[in-house]
Amino acid sequence: NLVPSLIEQIIDLTNNFMQDILIEKISKPVLTLSEDEKLYLLKPLFWANETNMIKPSKRYYELYLKYKSGEFSNITHSELLDLEVHFLLAWTGTFIRYESSFIKALIQKDRGYFEDEKQKLLEILFNKFKYILEYYNKLSNEGKIELSTTPFYHPILPLLIDPHCFNEALPYVSIPENAISMEDDALWHLKEAVAFYGKTFGDKPSGVWPAEGSVSNKTLDLLCKHGIRWTATDEDILGKSLGVDIKNRSNRLFLYQKYYYESVDDKIYIFFRDKELSDLIGFVYSRMDAESATDDFINKLKDIYEISNFSPHVSVILDGENAWEFYKNNGRDFLDRLFEKISHTEWIKTLTYSEVIEDKNIIENRLNNIFSGSWINGNFSTWMGHPEKNKAWYYLYQIKNIFNWKKGSLNSDQINKVSRELHIAEGSDWFWWYGDDHFTEQADVLDNL
């Protein structure tokens, strides 16, 4: 699944790699950097997993310990150059590390890098970067993967359409007093996402992953209206929709069937992730050796297979960008072993969601109503309800009302510019970081933005 605002950034950077502030500063010869630029670089160059990305290099770890002890009041040019190269190497994909003899040599060298080596590394990474979308398209055309999209700037669609759906899961938690429906914005995010996907990949997406697995009846109606064939969310939403404890073993078989919802416009299939299997990959298997983790995963699938009196479908859904830095070797050992094991296990078949829809062996059920919530605790408390989050929405609603009031006095260029900023401000991650429920070292950057 590729979020349009991410695709947009990839295209922007493909056209001009130096648009990225960090890359632009790293690309400069360290001798030409101002003191302010050096200070700016120091913190983000250590934004990497300590165990799996920093420690494997003796030099990077040595610089990291020096930084943590506060001894970098006057970093030398050679230290900064080594640090820049190690940051780039740490975030270089495992496949590229394996195939490039130059990168292998840099890793082996470990210290004393030269400016021309840094520039060649940046050139290799840029050339690989340009190939990202082309590679996804290639795999999709070969039928190896299915691509899907998300509403454009990753908003929580149900809250835009009807903020009062927040109270379905949390009836006693307050939402902003000036809450209004911004269904026209929700429609924009969906239509623009579908159009942008078509422009990028040449066809219409069959599926939409709603940001954070956020669903409601009105959200499904909107997806149906625009011809989306499938969407997905969490098992907790299925349990609440069916009125059963989905974690109870006697109810687990409900999870391994396929469901559809019918609106006045069309029919949409909804898939519900197995939370345990997904979270094991996301958070647990990284602490195990590849063999043990793979065996555990396959054994859990075997258990599902053996208790089912029908052909069970198991959805494994997780944030694709989050897990791998916590694994040794960027997850390659685990993934290689897992896919090899699956390939040689005759009772397991991997399918795209469009193939699941067509598979007549999987039991199909109609779902008349879907509970309003996300894949986080089955509610929307991550984005609304907390005083800080509510304050952000309060301001957003104010601006939306002012914009509607002033529209008549604005020209089309002004309207487009304001609309774009509003749509960006509706993205879920701003609200995610407000409040005290999540922490990031980049909070100051996000608050400034």
Side-chain angles (χ1 to χ4, degrees):
N1 183 75
L2 297 170
V3 180
S5 53
L6 173 64
I7 297 175
E8 193 174 50
Q9 290 174 74
I10 291 171
I11 291 170
D12 281 350
L13 292 172
T14 298
N15 293 329
N16 178 7
F17 209 33
M18 297 308 149
Q19 282 189 62
D20 183 276
I21 297 168
L22 187 55
I23 293 295
E24 186 265 334
K25 293 198 186 312
I26 289 174
S27 69
K28 290 182 177 181
V30 294
L31 284 167
T32 68
L33 292 171
S34 68
E35 290 305 313
D36 283 346
E37 286 175 317
K38 289 178 191 174
L39 197 62
Y40 172 87
L41 278 170
L42 206 50
K43 188 177 179 182
L45 290 178
F46 290 107
W47 282 343
N49 182 280
E50 180 185 339
T51 304
N52 299 304
M53 299 170 77
I54 295 177
K55 270 189 177 178
S57 158
K58 190 175 178 182
R59 176 61 162 166
Y60 200 6
Y61 189 51
E62 174 189 302
L63 294 170
Y64 175 74
L65 292 177
K66 192 171 179 180
Y67 172 71
K68 295 296 279 186
S69 66
E71 293 177 28
F72 259 154
S73 54
N74 191 20
I75 187 169
T76 67
H77 290 135
S78 61
E79 285 175 328
L80 184 54
L81 184 53
D82 282 357
L83 186 52
E84 288 176 334
V85 172
H86 274 299
F87 172 81
L88 294 171
L89 289 173
W91 285 103
T92 295
T94 312
F95 178 77
I96 303 169
R97 284 165 159 245
Y98 275 71
E99 72 162 6
S100 168
S101 57
F102 176 75
I103 289 177
K104 279 182 186 175
L106 284 185
I107 293 169
Q108 197 168 4
K109 185 177 181 181
D110 198 48
R111 65 179 65 225
Y113 297 118
F114 298 110
E115 284 289 347
D116 62 339
E117 291 175 318
K118 181 180 76 176
Q119 293 305 325
K120 187 172 178 182
L121 174 59
L122 280 166
E123 188 182 332
I124 290 170
L125 297 180
F126 178 51
N127 287 330
K128 291 295 180 185
F129 188 86
K130 289 191 291 186
Y131 186 51
I132 291 171
L133 296 177
E134 188 183 330
Y135 186 63
Y136 275 119
N137 210 14
K138 176 178 177 287
L139 293 179
S140 177
N141 290 335
E142 290 172 356
K144 291 181 178 177
I145 62 171
E146 178 176 15
L147 294 172
S148 57
T149 193
T150 291
F152 205 94
Y153 286 110
H154 205 268
I156 304 300
L157 221 54
L159 293 181
L160 284 189
I161 297 170
D162 178 12
H164 295 93
C165 75
F166 174 92
N167 292 126
E168 186 175 347
L170 300 166
Y172 304 111
V173 178
S174 296
I175 68 170
E177 59 190 34
N178 65 337
I180 55 171
S181 169
M182 294 199 284
E183 191 165 358
D184 56 333
D185 293 58
L187 176 60
W188 181 93
H189 282 283
L190 179 61
K191 287 177 72 175
E192 287 298 312
V194 170
F196 192 60
Y197 178 99
K199 186 178 171 185
T200 307
F201 297 112
D203 57 3
K204 183 178 177 180
S206 293
V208 162
W209 167 252
E212 309 289 353
S214 299
V215 290
S216 65
N217 286 333
K218 289 181 179 179
T219 301
L220 296 184
D221 289 338
L222 186 65
L223 294 175
C224 280
K225 192 172 184 178
H226 291 86
I228 301 302
R229 288 190 76 206
W230 64 261
T231 190
T233 183
D234 186 63
E235 65 174 53
D236 286 348
I237 301 298
L238 178 63
K240 291 179 178 183
S241 300
L242 297 177
V244 301
D245 179 4
I246 205 71
K247 290 179 174 55
N248 188 309
R249 187 173 172 84
S250 62
N251 294 323
R252 291 304 282 175
L253 293 186
F254 287 119
L255 184 57
Y256 307 122
Q257 302 168 26
K258 64 180 173 185
Y259 294 85
Y260 67 90
Y261 171 93
E262 283 187 318
S263 75
V264 293
D265 295 290
D266 210 339
K267 171 182 181 180
I268 187 169
Y269 284 86
I270 314 149
F271 298 100
F272 300 91
R273 75 173 188 141
D274 185 305
K275 190 192 289 279
E276 182 191 16
L277 286 174
S278 304
D279 285 352
L280 282 169
I281 293 177
F283 306 109
V284 178
Y285 289 154
S286 56
R287 301 193 296 269
M288 298 167 62
D289 65 85
E291 186 174 353
S292 300
T294 300
D295 289 347
D296 184 75
F297 188 83
I298 298 295
N299 287 337
K300 284 181 167 56
L301 283 178
K302 187 73 179 287
D303 184 46
I304 294 166
Y305 177 70
E306 288 180 342
I307 65 168
S308 302
N309 56 1
F310 58 88
S311 180
H313 159 71
V314 183
S315 276
V316 178
I317 305 173
L318 60 145
D319 280 330
E321 75 279 16
N322 280 352
W324 312 119
E325 67 192 82
F326 297 94
Y327 279 76
K328 182 184 175 185
N329 205 20
N330 202 34
R332 181 174 181 141
D333 304 343
F334 167 70
L335 289 170
D336 278 358
R337 187 171 183 85
L338 178 65
F339 288 132
E340 185 182 9
K341 195 83 179 261
I342 286 172
S343 298
H344 294 100
T345 304
E346 60 180 20
W347 49 268
I348 298 177
K349 185 178 181 182
T350 55
L351 297 164
T352 65
Y353 277 140
S354 288
E355 288 172 335
V356 176
I357 290 171
E358 302 304 326
D359 192 327
K360 304 302 180 191
N361 293 316
I362 301 171
I363 295 175
E364 184 171 305
N365 298 299
R366 178 173 176 170
L367 204 59
N368 295 317
N369 175 66
I370 195 154
F371 191 86
S372 299
S374 75
W375 71 345
I376 302 179
N377 304 319
N379 60 47
F380 299 123
S381 63
T382 299
W383 306 277
M384 189 179 271
H386 184 286
E388 277 191 22
K389 299 174 195 291
N390 282 352
K391 190 176 185 180
W393 282 104
Y394 180 85
Y395 287 147
L396 189 62
Y397 294 135
Q398 270 194 320
I399 295 296
K400 178 69 174 176
N401 282 328
I402 292 168
F403 180 42
N404 288 337
W405 176 47
K406 295 267 190 182
K407 246 180 192 173
S409 63
L410 303 176
N411 62 42
S412 59
D413 185 50
Q414 289 171 323
I415 288 171
N416 289 336
K417 283 180 178 176
V418 176
S419 296
R420 175 180 162 84
E421 294 301 331
L422 261 173
H423 293 142
I424 291 170
E426 290 159 358
S428 69
D429 276 356
W430 308 110
F431 304 95
W432 175 287
W433 295 115
Y434 294 138
D436 51 9
D437 47 344
H438 293 107
F439 169 78
T440 174
E441 281 189 28
Q442 292 89 14
D444 56 336
V445 178
L446 291 164
D447 282 349
N448 186 52
L449 286 169

